[in-house]
Amino acid sequence: MGMFHRPPLRARRVRVDSTGEPRCGLMTKTVTLSLDVMGGDRGPEVVMPGAELALVRCPDLKFILFGDEAKIQAHLASRPRLAAVSEVRHCEIAVRM
């Protein structure tokens, strides 16, 4: 293991407010994130679970998801909580690396 070894990811504790609802750090209002779902080496297989995890940690998030609408909708079908706070914007063109 090199000097930059990173330990495996573990579940983090989620902060809760006085009602027991999870809260994300210092965010006090809804934040909308735009995500290129088709980006990266593995596209939606990585981006969608990441967005879902972010939503668990920060329940006030909303998402605008850019990419192939059919592929995005297929992933949202099994993630109803994420689907409820997401807007999908279909993109015809993808830039390949």
Side-chain angles (χ1 to χ4, degrees):
M1 312 247 178
M3 121 184 209
F4 296 106
H5 171 70
R6 174 180 258 169
L9 293 176
R10 292 176 290 199
R12 291 184 176 175
R13 292 184 191 175
V14 176
R15 295 179 189 180
V16 295
D17 65 13
S18 60
T19 66
E21 288 295 312
R23 292 289 170 240
C24 183
L26 301 174
M27 290 176 29
T28 59
K29 61 181 181 177
T30 300
V31 173
T32 301
L33 298 177
S34 296
L35 298 177
D36 173 6
V37 177
M38 310 315 288
D41 292 336
R42 296 178 54 204
E45 289 80 23
V46 173
V47 175
M48 298 301 283
E52 188 172 38
L53 178 59
L55 185 59
V56 167
R57 292 183 180 170
C58 304
D60 293 330
L61 289 176
K62 294 198 180 300
F63 297 92
I64 302 173
L65 306 173
F66 291 87
D68 183 322
E69 185 173 12
K71 290 181 181 177
I72 294 171
Q73 292 294 356
H75 284 272
L76 287 175
S78 62
R79 296 175 170 87
R81 186 171 175 202
L82 181 60
V85 297
S86 297
E87 176 185 333
V88 178
R89 302 241 181 117
H90 180 70
C91 297
E92 292 281 333
I93 299 171
V95 177
R96 296 195 181 254
M97 300 297 264

